[in-house]
Amino acid sequence: MNRAKREAIFSRWRTLNPEPRTELNYSSPFELLVAVLLSAQATDVGVNKATAKLFPVANTPEAILALGVEGLKHYIKTIGLFNSKAENLIKTCRILVEQHNSQVPDNREALEALPGVGRKTANVVLNTAFRQLAMAVDTHIFRVSNRTGIAPGKNVLEVEKRLLRLVPAEFLLDAHHWLILHGRYICKARTPQCTACPIEDLCEYRKKTSEK
């Protein structure tokens, strides 16, 4: 895919959605960190239902520490892997209080040192909370990048690096959101909705569907 096509694709997405946002509900960097940590192998809808009950009670590291592991589990038990997530979140909150003055750090090294926080989670927080150039590649973005030809790669890190290099600079800050929303609602895993796709004529996928 050439640069002109990429520019056209992201230009269309920007026209349709000028200010794309994550579908996770949050009102602070800490709430976002919690939501993203809980979202592994879970839907945003499911996470939002849980945090809608958790955040009014505890939305700071100190407040979640006060709940304890068992108290926290009560609020997140509807989410997959809630046992390990509760353990990691409590450990993360303790580190934030003891080492970061209860603030979410705005650098990758410190974020990835937090229990349960991997590269993808760190990238989401850096990009969404702190508006830094970072590309969080999940299954949707990996699929869209490869299927469309925007930034094909054999693994998530390769796709991440290619996206950062190939996406035109003016679109980079919000590219993560446009890609994930496109993968979630249009370029679906089993049956991409090609007839409803706003970039169908620019996409280089060879097995486009004709179903309406």
Side-chain angles (χ1 to χ4, degrees):
M1 179 175 288
N2 59 38
R3 179 179 178 83
K5 272 191 178 182
R6 291 191 186 91
E7 287 183 346
I9 286 171
F10 283 96
S11 181
R12 287 186 192 178
W13 283 338
R14 183 173 63 185
T15 298
L16 290 169
N17 188 1
E19 297 182 355
R21 296 289 180 263
T22 177
E23 293 187 315
L24 291 170
N25 296 330
Y26 73 99
S27 60
S28 69
F30 178 71
E31 287 189 357
L32 178 64
L33 175 64
V34 172
V36 179
L37 193 153
L38 295 177
S39 70
Q41 298 184 42
T43 66
D44 287 0
V45 172
V47 172
N48 287 338
K49 286 181 180 179
T51 56
K53 297 177 181 178
L54 172 64
F55 288 158
V57 176
N59 70 342
T60 65
E62 292 88 348
I64 287 182
L65 278 174
L67 288 176
V69 173
E70 294 306 316
L72 177 58
K73 286 181 183 179
H74 170 74
Y75 291 97
I76 67 170
K77 60 187 177 183
T78 55
I79 299 174
L81 307 176
F82 72 93
N83 285 308
S84 61
K85 289 176 182 178
E87 296 277 357
N88 283 331
L89 185 49
I90 289 293
K91 292 174 183 176
T92 283
C93 288
R94 187 169 293 114
I95 292 172
L96 292 178
V97 171
E98 294 175 354
Q99 299 180 22
H100 299 287
N101 196 30
S102 299
Q103 300 299 307
V104 177
D106 61 357
N107 67 86
R108 178 184 306 283
E109 184 179 5
L111 282 169
E112 291 189 13
L114 300 172
V117 177
R119 185 178 182 88
K120 185 183 77 173
T121 297
N123 281 339
V124 173
V125 173
L126 290 172
N127 178 253
T128 304
F130 299 114
R131 301 303 283 161
Q132 296 182 21
L133 290 180
M135 190 68 65
V137 179
D138 68 351
T139 55
H140 294 300
I141 295 177
F142 183 79
R143 179 175 67 255
V144 170
S145 297
N146 276 284
R147 184 182 276 167
T148 61
I150 290 173
K154 296 178 181 178
N155 54 62
V156 292
L157 184 57
E158 187 174 328
V159 168
E160 176 189 329
K161 291 180 176 179
R162 295 200 75 187
L163 283 168
L164 288 170
R165 188 174 79 252
L166 296 173
V167 173
E170 65 178 296
F171 304 109
L172 258 179
L173 201 56
D174 290 316
H176 157 259
H177 296 300
W178 286 314
L179 286 161
I180 195 171
L181 291 170
H182 188 70
R184 186 171 286 165
Y185 296 110
I186 300 293
C187 199
K188 299 178 182 179
R190 292 190 177 182
T191 309
Q193 310 297 303
C194 296
T195 56
C197 177
I199 63 163
E200 189 271 341
D201 58 315
L202 299 168
C203 169
E204 297 184 353
Y205 184 47
R206 295 181 178 178
K207 300 178 181 177
K208 292 175 182 173
T209 60
S210 57
E211 292 88 347
K212 294 184 178 180

